[in-house]
Amino acid sequence: MNERNDVRFRQLKAVFFLELKRLLRGREARAAFFFAAAPFLLALVAHAVRDHATVPGRVEKEFAFVFQNLVLQGTLFFGTLFVFGGLLRGEQLAKTLHHLFLAPVRREVLLLGKYLAALAVTSAAFAGFSALAYVTLLTGAGSGAATAHLASGGAGRLLGYALVAVLACAGYGAVFLAFGQWVKNPVFPALAFWGWEHLNFLLPEGLKRLGLIHYLLSLTPVKVPEGFLAVLGEPLPPWIAVPVPLLLSAALLALSAWKVRRMEVDYGVE
């Protein structure tokens, strides 16, 4: 690593920890943890009200339904919107953005450091609480059955759900970071995007690939029936479903970096 790259790496590391501290102290992290805790709280309620043991196979289907419909298409979507959509927009509204731009750090490094910090917070929240929800539901089968289920492949599927949650945070995060730079209120384009993602199951195979949700659902360990109105399509293999969201995230980050290089701070127009 040459000297210039070494300096930029140290700057990126400094921005990452500075932003991580800001997020954890602010409402962004509280909102992310609030959204992320929803499936865990739901699992606690289900565990408390049930008066009989549930077989692990049924628990797998229940969690798959919750992960697809509540986490991926609900709490994770809006949780990442709240965190990533305000990374720069929130600083501009708080009139603190110029402090960052006055620092002797390239704006692309600032942007990447803030994105990685937000990715760390949201990934930890959504992957962690999803794993807790899975284990909580599984304990309804009894500790012995739960341990045997995890040892016989359940632990691998649990890891699979956590990795899908991280990939979803990376993809949706890059989308909402871009929305936050190009429009004053990212909520409206985000709602339109949510509608597109929510109706993805009705689209033909070619159009399904224009939505992130198609790639994420292809990677979930247990598939959930999408209803009698769904246009059936084959799940994508991992060698397609993993790189495409990552490449989309990289492209949107590059676009955001291009935008932030040309950004002028003018609080008077807000």
Side-chain angles (χ1 to χ4, degrees), residues 67-68 72 156-168 212-223 234-246:
F67 188 79
Q68 174 174 323
L72 287 183
R157 290 188 287 278
L158 173 60
L159 178 62
Y161 282 115
L163 293 176
V164 172
V166 173
L167 187 63
L212 264 176
I213 193 68
H214 185 52
Y215 299 89
L216 299 172
L217 293 182
S218 297
L219 294 169
T220 51
V222 178
K223 309 305 178 196
E234 289 296 322
L236 298 169
W239 65 271
I240 294 178
V242 174
V244 170
L246 293 177

PDB file of all heavy atoms in Angstrom, residues 67-68 72 156-168 212-223 234-246:
ATOM      1  N   PHE A  67     -39.730 -13.439   7.802  1.00  0.00           N
ATOM      2  CA  PHE A  67     -38.537 -12.796   7.229  1.00  0.00           C
ATOM      3  C   PHE A  67     -38.852 -12.169   5.872  1.00  0.00           C
ATOM      4  O   PHE A  67     -38.410 -11.058   5.583  1.00  0.00           O
ATOM      5  CB  PHE A  67     -37.415 -13.828   7.085  1.00  0.00           C
ATOM      6  CG  PHE A  67     -36.091 -13.233   6.681  1.00  0.00           C
ATOM      7  CD1 PHE A  67     -35.287 -12.606   7.612  1.00  0.00           C
ATOM      8  CD2 PHE A  67     -35.673 -13.293   5.359  1.00  0.00           C
ATOM      9  CE1 PHE A  67     -34.066 -12.035   7.242  1.00  0.00           C
ATOM     10  CE2 PHE A  67     -34.460 -12.735   4.979  1.00  0.00           C
ATOM     11  CZ  PHE A  67     -33.653 -12.105   5.922  1.00  0.00           C
ATOM     12  N   GLN A  68     -39.638 -12.882   5.062  1.00  0.00           N
ATOM     13  CA  GLN A  68     -39.942 -12.354   3.727  1.00  0.00           C
ATOM     14  C   GLN A  68     -40.899 -11.168   3.782  1.00  0.00           C
ATOM     15  O   GLN A  68     -40.666 -10.136   3.147  1.00  0.00           O
ATOM     16  CB  GLN A  68     -40.540 -13.460   2.853  1.00  0.00           C
ATOM     17  CG  GLN A  68     -41.021 -12.963   1.486  1.00  0.00           C
ATOM     18  CD  GLN A  68     -41.471 -14.090   0.579  1.00  0.00           C
ATOM     19  OE1 GLN A  68     -40.866 -15.156   0.588  1.00  0.00           O
ATOM     20  NE2 GLN A  68     -42.519 -13.878  -0.204  1.00  0.00           N
ATOM     21  N   LEU A  72     -37.906  -8.237   5.159  1.00  0.00           N
ATOM     22  CA  LEU A  72     -37.399  -7.739   3.875  1.00  0.00           C
ATOM     23  C   LEU A  72     -38.306  -6.693   3.239  1.00  0.00           C
ATOM     24  O   LEU A  72     -37.824  -5.722   2.653  1.00  0.00           O
ATOM     25  CB  LEU A  72     -37.199  -8.909   2.903  1.00  0.00           C
ATOM     26  CG  LEU A  72     -36.010  -9.833   3.174  1.00  0.00           C
ATOM     27  CD1 LEU A  72     -35.907 -10.892   2.082  1.00  0.00           C
ATOM     28  CD2 LEU A  72     -34.701  -9.059   3.270  1.00  0.00           C
ATOM     29  N   GLY A 156     -26.903 -23.454   9.620  1.00  0.00           N
ATOM     30  CA  GLY A 156     -26.515 -22.947   8.305  1.00  0.00           C
ATOM     31  C   GLY A 156     -27.590 -22.064   7.706  1.00  0.00           C
ATOM     32  O   GLY A 156     -27.299 -21.028   7.098  1.00  0.00           O
ATOM     33  N   ARG A 157     -28.845 -22.474   7.866  1.00  0.00           N
ATOM     34  CA  ARG A 157     -29.949 -21.648   7.337  1.00  0.00           C
ATOM     35  C   ARG A 157     -30.062 -20.339   8.121  1.00  0.00           C
ATOM     36  O   ARG A 157     -30.366 -19.287   7.549  1.00  0.00           O
ATOM     37  CB  ARG A 157     -31.251 -22.439   7.389  1.00  0.00           C
ATOM     38  CG  ARG A 157     -31.296 -23.584   6.389  1.00  0.00           C
ATOM     39  CD  ARG A 157     -32.666 -24.230   6.309  1.00  0.00           C
ATOM     40  NE  ARG A 157     -32.964 -25.034   7.479  1.00  0.00           N
ATOM     41  CZ  ARG A 157     -32.543 -26.283   7.667  1.00  0.00           C
ATOM     42  NH1 ARG A 157     -31.797 -26.874   6.750  1.00  0.00           N
ATOM     43  NH2 ARG A 157     -32.859 -26.953   8.755  1.00  0.00           N
ATOM     44  N   LEU A 158     -29.807 -20.398   9.425  1.00  0.00           N
ATOM     45  CA  LEU A 158     -29.812 -19.173  10.238  1.00  0.00           C
ATOM     46  C   LEU A 158     -28.750 -18.196   9.740  1.00  0.00           C
ATOM     47  O   LEU A 158     -29.002 -16.993   9.588  1.00  0.00           O
ATOM     48  CB  LEU A 158     -29.546 -19.542  11.700  1.00  0.00           C
ATOM     49  CG  LEU A 158     -29.352 -18.392  12.685  1.00  0.00           C
ATOM     50  CD1 LEU A 158     -30.590 -17.520  12.729  1.00  0.00           C
ATOM     51  CD2 LEU A 158     -29.049 -18.939  14.079  1.00  0.00           C
ATOM     52  N   LEU A 159     -27.548 -18.728   9.447  1.00  0.00           N
ATOM     53  CA  LEU A 159     -26.487 -17.881   8.888  1.00  0.00           C
ATOM     54  C   LEU A 159     -26.899 -17.327   7.525  1.00  0.00           C
ATOM     55  O   LEU A 159     -26.616 -16.173   7.196  1.00  0.00           O
ATOM     56  CB  LEU A 159     -25.193 -18.693   8.764  1.00  0.00           C
ATOM     57  CG  LEU A 159     -23.995 -17.966   8.145  1.00  0.00           C
ATOM     58  CD1 LEU A 159     -23.600 -16.761   9.007  1.00  0.00           C
ATOM     59  CD2 LEU A 159     -22.810 -18.921   7.982  1.00  0.00           C
ATOM     60  N   GLY A 160     -27.605 -18.149   6.737  1.00  0.00           N
ATOM     61  CA  GLY A 160     -28.063 -17.691   5.430  1.00  0.00           C
ATOM     62  C   GLY A 160     -29.004 -16.503   5.540  1.00  0.00           C
ATOM     63  O   GLY A 160     -28.886 -15.529   4.791  1.00  0.00           O
ATOM     64  N   TYR A 161     -29.942 -16.564   6.487  1.00  0.00           N
ATOM     65  CA  TYR A 161     -30.860 -15.432   6.687  1.00  0.00           C
ATOM     66  C   TYR A 161     -30.088 -14.174   7.107  1.00  0.00           C
ATOM     67  O   TYR A 161     -30.395 -13.064   6.657  1.00  0.00           O
ATOM     68  CB  TYR A 161     -31.892 -15.778   7.751  1.00  0.00           C
ATOM     69  CG  TYR A 161     -33.007 -16.672   7.266  1.00  0.00           C
ATOM     70  CD1 TYR A 161     -33.173 -17.955   7.780  1.00  0.00           C
ATOM     71  CD2 TYR A 161     -33.905 -16.235   6.294  1.00  0.00           C
ATOM     72  CE1 TYR A 161     -34.198 -18.775   7.333  1.00  0.00           C
ATOM     73  CE2 TYR A 161     -34.928 -17.045   5.840  1.00  0.00           C
ATOM     74  CZ  TYR A 161     -35.073 -18.321   6.363  1.00  0.00           C
ATOM     75  OH  TYR A 161     -36.084 -19.125   5.913  1.00  0.00           O
ATOM     76  N   ALA A 162     -29.095 -14.347   7.997  1.00  0.00           N
ATOM     77  CA  ALA A 162     -28.319 -13.185   8.445  1.00  0.00           C
ATOM     78  C   ALA A 162     -27.566 -12.548   7.277  1.00  0.00           C
ATOM     79  O   ALA A 162     -27.522 -11.315   7.149  1.00  0.00           O
ATOM     80  CB  ALA A 162     -27.346 -13.610   9.545  1.00  0.00           C
ATOM     81  N   LEU A 163     -27.001 -13.376   6.397  1.00  0.00           N
ATOM     82  CA  LEU A 163     -26.254 -12.832   5.251  1.00  0.00           C
ATOM     83  C   LEU A 163     -27.186 -12.145   4.256  1.00  0.00           C
ATOM     84  O   LEU A 163     -26.820 -11.126   3.657  1.00  0.00           O
ATOM     85  CB  LEU A 163     -25.468 -13.954   4.562  1.00  0.00           C
ATOM     86  CG  LEU A 163     -24.323 -14.545   5.395  1.00  0.00           C
ATOM     87  CD1 LEU A 163     -23.661 -15.714   4.656  1.00  0.00           C
ATOM     88  CD2 LEU A 163     -23.277 -13.481   5.722  1.00  0.00           C
ATOM     89  N   VAL A 164     -28.396 -12.680   4.095  1.00  0.00           N
ATOM     90  CA  VAL A 164     -29.371 -12.006   3.213  1.00  0.00           C
ATOM     91  C   VAL A 164     -29.739 -10.642   3.793  1.00  0.00           C
ATOM     92  O   VAL A 164     -29.877  -9.654   3.057  1.00  0.00           O
ATOM     93  CB  VAL A 164     -30.637 -12.883   3.038  1.00  0.00           C
ATOM     94  CG1 VAL A 164     -31.728 -12.103   2.302  1.00  0.00           C
ATOM     95  CG2 VAL A 164     -30.296 -14.147   2.270  1.00  0.00           C
ATOM     96  N   ALA A 165     -29.881 -10.569   5.121  1.00  0.00           N
ATOM     97  CA  ALA A 165     -30.199  -9.283   5.753  1.00  0.00           C
ATOM     98  C   ALA A 165     -29.066  -8.269   5.525  1.00  0.00           C
ATOM     99  O   ALA A 165     -29.327  -7.093   5.242  1.00  0.00           O
ATOM    100  CB  ALA A 165     -30.427  -9.483   7.253  1.00  0.00           C
ATOM    101  N   VAL A 166     -27.814  -8.725   5.622  1.00  0.00           N
ATOM    102  CA  VAL A 166     -26.674  -7.822   5.385  1.00  0.00           C
ATOM    103  C   VAL A 166     -26.670  -7.342   3.930  1.00  0.00           C
ATOM    104  O   VAL A 166     -26.455  -6.157   3.642  1.00  0.00           O
ATOM    105  CB  VAL A 166     -25.349  -8.530   5.730  1.00  0.00           C
ATOM    106  CG1 VAL A 166     -24.154  -7.666   5.326  1.00  0.00           C
ATOM    107  CG2 VAL A 166     -25.289  -8.857   7.218  1.00  0.00           C
ATOM    108  N   LEU A 167     -26.909  -8.272   3.000  1.00  0.00           N
ATOM    109  CA  LEU A 167     -26.942  -7.905   1.579  1.00  0.00           C
ATOM    110  C   LEU A 167     -28.078  -6.919   1.303  1.00  0.00           C
ATOM    111  O   LEU A 167     -27.925  -5.977   0.512  1.00  0.00           O
ATOM    112  CB  LEU A 167     -27.109  -9.170   0.731  1.00  0.00           C
ATOM    113  CG  LEU A 167     -27.002  -9.000  -0.789  1.00  0.00           C
ATOM    114  CD1 LEU A 167     -25.612  -8.503  -1.189  1.00  0.00           C
ATOM    115  CD2 LEU A 167     -27.309 -10.323  -1.502  1.00  0.00           C
ATOM    116  N   ALA A 168     -29.223  -7.128   1.955  1.00  0.00           N
ATOM    117  CA  ALA A 168     -30.352  -6.209   1.784  1.00  0.00           C
ATOM    118  C   ALA A 168     -30.012  -4.820   2.317  1.00  0.00           C
ATOM    119  O   ALA A 168     -30.351  -3.803   1.697  1.00  0.00           O
ATOM    120  CB  ALA A 168     -31.580  -6.766   2.502  1.00  0.00           C
ATOM    121  N   LEU A 212     -34.725  -5.370  -6.384  1.00  0.00           N
ATOM    122  CA  LEU A 212     -33.766  -6.010  -5.476  1.00  0.00           C
ATOM    123  C   LEU A 212     -34.373  -7.210  -4.770  1.00  0.00           C
ATOM    124  O   LEU A 212     -33.681  -8.192  -4.476  1.00  0.00           O
ATOM    125  CB  LEU A 212     -33.311  -4.988  -4.424  1.00  0.00           C
ATOM    126  CG  LEU A 212     -32.018  -4.240  -4.679  1.00  0.00           C
ATOM    127  CD1 LEU A 212     -31.794  -3.218  -3.576  1.00  0.00           C
ATOM    128  CD2 LEU A 212     -30.847  -5.200  -4.756  1.00  0.00           C
ATOM    129  N   ILE A 213     -35.672  -7.140  -4.500  1.00  0.00           N
ATOM    130  CA  ILE A 213     -36.308  -8.189  -3.709  1.00  0.00           C
ATOM    131  C   ILE A 213     -36.211  -9.545  -4.399  1.00  0.00           C
ATOM    132  O   ILE A 213     -36.127 -10.584  -3.733  1.00  0.00           O
ATOM    133  CB  ILE A 213     -37.789  -7.810  -3.431  1.00  0.00           C
ATOM    134  CG1 ILE A 213     -38.385  -8.708  -2.356  1.00  0.00           C
ATOM    135  CG2 ILE A 213     -38.607  -7.842  -4.696  1.00  0.00           C
ATOM    136  CD1 ILE A 213     -37.805  -8.504  -1.000  1.00  0.00           C
ATOM    137  N   HIS A 214     -36.198  -9.569  -5.741  1.00  0.00           N
ATOM    138  CA  HIS A 214     -36.114 -10.838  -6.470  1.00  0.00           C
ATOM    139  C   HIS A 214     -34.787 -11.549  -6.184  1.00  0.00           C
ATOM    140  O   HIS A 214     -34.757 -12.771  -6.022  1.00  0.00           O
ATOM    141  CB  HIS A 214     -36.266 -10.574  -7.967  1.00  0.00           C
ATOM    142  CG  HIS A 214     -36.303 -11.819  -8.798  1.00  0.00           C
ATOM    143  ND1 HIS A 214     -37.164 -12.862  -8.539  1.00  0.00           N
ATOM    144  CD2 HIS A 214     -35.569 -12.208  -9.884  1.00  0.00           C
ATOM    145  CE1 HIS A 214     -36.972 -13.831  -9.426  1.00  0.00           C
ATOM    146  NE2 HIS A 214     -36.004 -13.461 -10.242  1.00  0.00           N
ATOM    147  N   TYR A 215     -33.716 -10.783  -6.092  1.00  0.00           N
ATOM    148  CA  TYR A 215     -32.397 -11.368  -5.806  1.00  0.00           C
ATOM    149  C   TYR A 215     -32.320 -11.824  -4.350  1.00  0.00           C
ATOM    150  O   TYR A 215     -31.760 -12.873  -4.054  1.00  0.00           O
ATOM    151  CB  TYR A 215     -31.300 -10.347  -6.110  1.00  0.00           C
ATOM    152  CG  TYR A 215     -31.287  -9.922  -7.558  1.00  0.00           C
ATOM    153  CD1 TYR A 215     -32.057  -8.843  -8.001  1.00  0.00           C
ATOM    154  CD2 TYR A 215     -30.536 -10.624  -8.497  1.00  0.00           C
ATOM    155  CE1 TYR A 215     -32.081  -8.469  -9.334  1.00  0.00           C
ATOM    156  CE2 TYR A 215     -30.546 -10.256  -9.839  1.00  0.00           C
ATOM    157  CZ  TYR A 215     -31.325  -9.178 -10.245  1.00  0.00           C
ATOM    158  OH  TYR A 215     -31.346  -8.830 -11.565  1.00  0.00           O
ATOM    159  N   LEU A 216     -32.901 -11.027  -3.455  1.00  0.00           N
ATOM    160  CA  LEU A 216     -32.845 -11.373  -2.025  1.00  0.00           C
ATOM    161  C   LEU A 216     -33.673 -12.619  -1.730  1.00  0.00           C
ATOM    162  O   LEU A 216     -33.220 -13.512  -0.995  1.00  0.00           O
ATOM    163  CB  LEU A 216     -33.342 -10.187  -1.191  1.00  0.00           C
ATOM    164  CG  LEU A 216     -32.534  -8.893  -1.339  1.00  0.00           C
ATOM    165  CD1 LEU A 216     -33.222  -7.740  -0.620  1.00  0.00           C
ATOM    166  CD2 LEU A 216     -31.120  -9.082  -0.808  1.00  0.00           C
ATOM    167  N   LEU A 217     -34.875 -12.699  -2.298  1.00  0.00           N
ATOM    168  CA  LEU A 217     -35.719 -13.868  -2.046  1.00  0.00           C
ATOM    169  C   LEU A 217     -35.131 -15.127  -2.663  1.00  0.00           C
ATOM    170  O   LEU A 217     -35.375 -16.238  -2.180  1.00  0.00           O
ATOM    171  CB  LEU A 217     -37.134 -13.617  -2.581  1.00  0.00           C
ATOM    172  CG  LEU A 217     -37.937 -12.543  -1.856  1.00  0.00           C
ATOM    173  CD1 LEU A 217     -39.336 -12.417  -2.443  1.00  0.00           C
ATOM    174  CD2 LEU A 217     -38.030 -12.842  -0.366  1.00  0.00           C
ATOM    175  N   SER A 218     -34.366 -14.970  -3.741  1.00  0.00           N
ATOM    176  CA  SER A 218     -33.712 -16.145  -4.341  1.00  0.00           C
ATOM    177  C   SER A 218     -32.696 -16.761  -3.399  1.00  0.00           C
ATOM    178  O   SER A 218     -32.336 -17.937  -3.545  1.00  0.00           O
ATOM    179  CB  SER A 218     -33.021 -15.734  -5.658  1.00  0.00           C
ATOM    180  OG  SER A 218     -33.964 -15.293  -6.603  1.00  0.00           O
ATOM    181  N   LEU A 219     -32.201 -15.967  -2.442  1.00  0.00           N
ATOM    182  CA  LEU A 219     -31.153 -16.449  -1.533  1.00  0.00           C
ATOM    183  C   LEU A 219     -31.701 -16.951  -0.202  1.00  0.00           C
ATOM    184  O   LEU A 219     -30.938 -17.514   0.593  1.00  0.00           O
ATOM    185  CB  LEU A 219     -30.154 -15.312  -1.268  1.00  0.00           C
ATOM    186  CG  LEU A 219     -29.330 -14.852  -2.476  1.00  0.00           C
ATOM    187  CD1 LEU A 219     -28.598 -13.556  -2.150  1.00  0.00           C
ATOM    188  CD2 LEU A 219     -28.344 -15.929  -2.896  1.00  0.00           C
ATOM    189  N   THR A 220     -32.986 -16.724   0.067  1.00  0.00           N
ATOM    190  CA  THR A 220     -33.522 -17.169   1.364  1.00  0.00           C
ATOM    191  C   THR A 220     -33.532 -18.699   1.412  1.00  0.00           C
ATOM    192  O   THR A 220     -33.901 -19.358   0.431  1.00  0.00           O
ATOM    193  CB  THR A 220     -34.938 -16.628   1.592  1.00  0.00           C
ATOM    194  OG1 THR A 220     -35.744 -16.930   0.453  1.00  0.00           O
ATOM    195  CG2 THR A 220     -34.911 -15.143   1.805  1.00  0.00           C
ATOM    196  N   PRO A 221     -33.134 -19.287   2.549  1.00  0.00           N
ATOM    197  CA  PRO A 221     -33.019 -20.748   2.626  1.00  0.00           C
ATOM    198  C   PRO A 221     -34.337 -21.491   2.439  1.00  0.00           C
ATOM    199  O   PRO A 221     -34.356 -22.587   1.909  1.00  0.00           O
ATOM    200  CB  PRO A 221     -32.448 -20.967   4.039  1.00  0.00           C
ATOM    201  CG  PRO A 221     -31.775 -19.687   4.388  1.00  0.00           C
ATOM    202  CD  PRO A 221     -32.592 -18.621   3.744  1.00  0.00           C
ATOM    203  N   VAL A 222     -35.454 -20.922   2.901  1.00  0.00           N
ATOM    204  CA  VAL A 222     -36.769 -21.576   2.775  1.00  0.00           C
ATOM    205  C   VAL A 222     -37.678 -20.654   1.971  1.00  0.00           C
ATOM    206  O   VAL A 222     -37.828 -19.478   2.310  1.00  0.00           O
ATOM    207  CB  VAL A 222     -37.385 -21.860   4.164  1.00  0.00           C
ATOM    208  CG1 VAL A 222     -38.768 -22.484   4.018  1.00  0.00           C
ATOM    209  CG2 VAL A 222     -36.470 -22.773   4.972  1.00  0.00           C
ATOM    210  N   LYS A 223     -38.246 -21.173   0.895  1.00  0.00           N
ATOM    211  CA  LYS A 223     -39.104 -20.361   0.032  1.00  0.00           C
ATOM    212  C   LYS A 223     -40.538 -20.346   0.556  1.00  0.00           C
ATOM    213  O   LYS A 223     -41.041 -21.334   1.090  1.00  0.00           O
ATOM    214  CB  LYS A 223     -39.104 -20.914  -1.405  1.00  0.00           C
ATOM    215  CG  LYS A 223     -37.709 -21.131  -1.983  1.00  0.00           C
ATOM    216  CD  LYS A 223     -36.860 -19.870  -1.938  1.00  0.00           C
ATOM    217  CE  LYS A 223     -35.454 -20.165  -2.479  1.00  0.00           C
ATOM    218  NZ  LYS A 223     -34.505 -19.097  -2.114  1.00  0.00           N
ATOM    219  N   GLU A 234     -38.250 -18.890 -11.724  1.00  0.00           N
ATOM    220  CA  GLU A 234     -37.229 -19.689 -11.049  1.00  0.00           C
ATOM    221  C   GLU A 234     -36.352 -18.795 -10.175  1.00  0.00           C
ATOM    222  O   GLU A 234     -35.936 -17.708 -10.616  1.00  0.00           O
ATOM    223  CB  GLU A 234     -36.363 -20.401 -12.083  1.00  0.00           C
ATOM    224  CG  GLU A 234     -37.069 -21.536 -12.814  1.00  0.00           C
ATOM    225  CD  GLU A 234     -37.447 -22.671 -11.868  1.00  0.00           C
ATOM    226  OE1 GLU A 234     -36.639 -22.970 -10.964  1.00  0.00           O
ATOM    227  OE2 GLU A 234     -38.548 -23.232 -12.027  1.00  0.00           O
ATOM    228  N   PRO A 235     -36.048 -19.222  -8.931  1.00  0.00           N
ATOM    229  CA  PRO A 235     -35.082 -18.459  -8.121  1.00  0.00           C
ATOM    230  C   PRO A 235     -33.738 -18.386  -8.823  1.00  0.00           C
ATOM    231  O   PRO A 235     -33.324 -19.325  -9.504  1.00  0.00           O
ATOM    232  CB  PRO A 235     -34.998 -19.286  -6.825  1.00  0.00           C
ATOM    233  CG  PRO A 235     -36.229 -20.127  -6.806  1.00  0.00           C
ATOM    234  CD  PRO A 235     -36.576 -20.404  -8.233  1.00  0.00           C
ATOM    235  N   LEU A 236     -33.071 -17.267  -8.675  1.00  0.00           N
ATOM    236  CA  LEU A 236     -31.773 -17.085  -9.329  1.00  0.00           C
ATOM    237  C   LEU A 236     -30.693 -17.841  -8.561  1.00  0.00           C
ATOM    238  O   LEU A 236     -30.736 -17.918  -7.329  1.00  0.00           O
ATOM    239  CB  LEU A 236     -31.430 -15.594  -9.373  1.00  0.00           C
ATOM    240  CG  LEU A 236     -32.410 -14.736 -10.181  1.00  0.00           C
ATOM    241  CD1 LEU A 236     -32.122 -13.259  -9.938  1.00  0.00           C
ATOM    242  CD2 LEU A 236     -32.293 -15.056 -11.663  1.00  0.00           C
ATOM    243  N   PRO A 237     -29.702 -18.400  -9.256  1.00  0.00           N
ATOM    244  CA  PRO A 237     -28.601 -19.076  -8.554  1.00  0.00           C
ATOM    245  C   PRO A 237     -27.758 -18.058  -7.788  1.00  0.00           C
ATOM    246  O   PRO A 237     -27.708 -16.870  -8.153  1.00  0.00           O
ATOM    247  CB  PRO A 237     -27.803 -19.727  -9.690  1.00  0.00           C
ATOM    248  CG  PRO A 237     -28.140 -18.923 -10.903  1.00  0.00           C
ATOM    249  CD  PRO A 237     -29.548 -18.442 -10.721  1.00  0.00           C
ATOM    250  N   PRO A 238     -27.077 -18.488  -6.711  1.00  0.00           N
ATOM    251  CA  PRO A 238     -26.284 -17.543  -5.904  1.00  0.00           C
ATOM    252  C   PRO A 238     -25.233 -16.776  -6.704  1.00  0.00           C
ATOM    253  O   PRO A 238     -24.933 -15.625  -6.358  1.00  0.00           O
ATOM    254  CB  PRO A 238     -25.635 -18.458  -4.860  1.00  0.00           C
ATOM    255  CG  PRO A 238     -26.569 -19.617  -4.745  1.00  0.00           C
ATOM    256  CD  PRO A 238     -27.119 -19.832  -6.117  1.00  0.00           C
ATOM    257  N   TRP A 239     -24.679 -17.394  -7.773  1.00  0.00           N
ATOM    258  CA  TRP A 239     -23.631 -16.685  -8.519  1.00  0.00           C
ATOM    259  C   TRP A 239     -24.192 -15.485  -9.288  1.00  0.00           C
ATOM    260  O   TRP A 239     -23.444 -14.635  -9.773  1.00  0.00           O
ATOM    261  CB  TRP A 239     -22.872 -17.639  -9.444  1.00  0.00           C
ATOM    262  CG  TRP A 239     -23.686 -18.246 -10.559  1.00  0.00           C
ATOM    263  CD1 TRP A 239     -24.404 -19.402 -10.531  1.00  0.00           C
ATOM    264  CD2 TRP A 239     -23.848 -17.703 -11.887  1.00  0.00           C
ATOM    265  NE1 TRP A 239     -25.016 -19.619 -11.741  1.00  0.00           N
ATOM    266  CE2 TRP A 239     -24.687 -18.613 -12.593  1.00  0.00           C
ATOM    267  CE3 TRP A 239     -23.383 -16.572 -12.537  1.00  0.00           C
ATOM    268  CZ2 TRP A 239     -25.059 -18.397 -13.916  1.00  0.00           C
ATOM    269  CZ3 TRP A 239     -23.751 -16.358 -13.862  1.00  0.00           C
ATOM    270  CH2 TRP A 239     -24.577 -17.265 -14.541  1.00  0.00           C
ATOM    271  N   ILE A 240     -25.521 -15.395  -9.384  1.00  0.00           N
ATOM    272  CA  ILE A 240     -26.165 -14.198  -9.951  1.00  0.00           C
ATOM    273  C   ILE A 240     -26.772 -13.353  -8.835  1.00  0.00           C
ATOM    274  O   ILE A 240     -26.636 -12.124  -8.825  1.00  0.00           O
ATOM    275  CB  ILE A 240     -27.256 -14.588 -10.964  1.00  0.00           C
ATOM    276  CG1 ILE A 240     -26.648 -15.279 -12.187  1.00  0.00           C
ATOM    277  CG2 ILE A 240     -28.036 -13.348 -11.409  1.00  0.00           C
ATOM    278  CD1 ILE A 240     -27.692 -15.736 -13.193  1.00  0.00           C
ATOM    279  N   ALA A 241     -27.455 -14.010  -7.891  1.00  0.00           N
ATOM    280  CA  ALA A 241     -28.222 -13.285  -6.861  1.00  0.00           C
ATOM    281  C   ALA A 241     -27.325 -12.517  -5.887  1.00  0.00           C
ATOM    282  O   ALA A 241     -27.763 -11.518  -5.310  1.00  0.00           O
ATOM    283  CB  ALA A 241     -29.100 -14.260  -6.088  1.00  0.00           C
ATOM    284  N   VAL A 242     -26.085 -12.949  -5.703  1.00  0.00           N
ATOM    285  CA  VAL A 242     -25.193 -12.224  -4.782  1.00  0.00           C
ATOM    286  C   VAL A 242     -24.468 -11.061  -5.478  1.00  0.00           C
ATOM    287  O   VAL A 242     -24.486  -9.921  -4.988  1.00  0.00           O
ATOM    288  CB  VAL A 242     -24.176 -13.190  -4.134  1.00  0.00           C
ATOM    289  CG1 VAL A 242     -23.155 -12.421  -3.306  1.00  0.00           C
ATOM    290  CG2 VAL A 242     -24.910 -14.197  -3.238  1.00  0.00           C
ATOM    291  N   PRO A 243     -23.814 -11.296  -6.637  1.00  0.00           N
ATOM    292  CA  PRO A 243     -23.051 -10.182  -7.234  1.00  0.00           C
ATOM    293  C   PRO A 243     -23.905  -9.019  -7.727  1.00  0.00           C
ATOM    294  O   PRO A 243     -23.459  -7.869  -7.659  1.00  0.00           O
ATOM    295  CB  PRO A 243     -22.319 -10.841  -8.411  1.00  0.00           C
ATOM    296  CG  PRO A 243     -22.365 -12.295  -8.159  1.00  0.00           C
ATOM    297  CD  PRO A 243     -23.616 -12.539  -7.376  1.00  0.00           C
ATOM    298  N   VAL A 244     -25.122  -9.291  -8.222  1.00  0.00           N
ATOM    299  CA  VAL A 244     -25.913  -8.190  -8.812  1.00  0.00           C
ATOM    300  C   VAL A 244     -26.242  -7.107  -7.785  1.00  0.00           C
ATOM    301  O   VAL A 244     -26.014  -5.910  -8.048  1.00  0.00           O
ATOM    302  CB  VAL A 244     -27.186  -8.743  -9.485  1.00  0.00           C
ATOM    303  CG1 VAL A 244     -28.129  -7.609  -9.872  1.00  0.00           C
ATOM    304  CG2 VAL A 244     -26.810  -9.542 -10.728  1.00  0.00           C
ATOM    305  N   PRO A 245     -26.777  -7.442  -6.584  1.00  0.00           N
ATOM    306  CA  PRO A 245     -26.999  -6.366  -5.593  1.00  0.00           C
ATOM    307  C   PRO A 245     -25.705  -5.658  -5.181  1.00  0.00           C
ATOM    308  O   PRO A 245     -25.721  -4.443  -4.940  1.00  0.00           O
ATOM    309  CB  PRO A 245     -27.621  -7.120  -4.403  1.00  0.00           C
ATOM    310  CG  PRO A 245     -28.252  -8.331  -4.990  1.00  0.00           C
ATOM    311  CD  PRO A 245     -27.337  -8.726  -6.109  1.00  0.00           C
ATOM    312  N   LEU A 246     -24.594  -6.414  -5.127  1.00  0.00           N
ATOM    313  CA  LEU A 246     -23.325  -5.773  -4.755  1.00  0.00           C
ATOM    314  C   LEU A 246     -22.856  -4.816  -5.846  1.00  0.00           C
ATOM    315  O   LEU A 246     -22.366  -3.707  -5.545  1.00  0.00           O
ATOM    316  CB  LEU A 246     -22.258  -6.842  -4.494  1.00  0.00           C
ATOM    317  CG  LEU A 246     -22.496  -7.727  -3.262  1.00  0.00           C
ATOM    318  CD1 LEU A 246     -21.407  -8.797  -3.150  1.00  0.00           C
ATOM    319  CD2 LEU A 246     -22.522  -6.877  -1.983  1.00  0.00           C
TER     320      LEU A 246
END
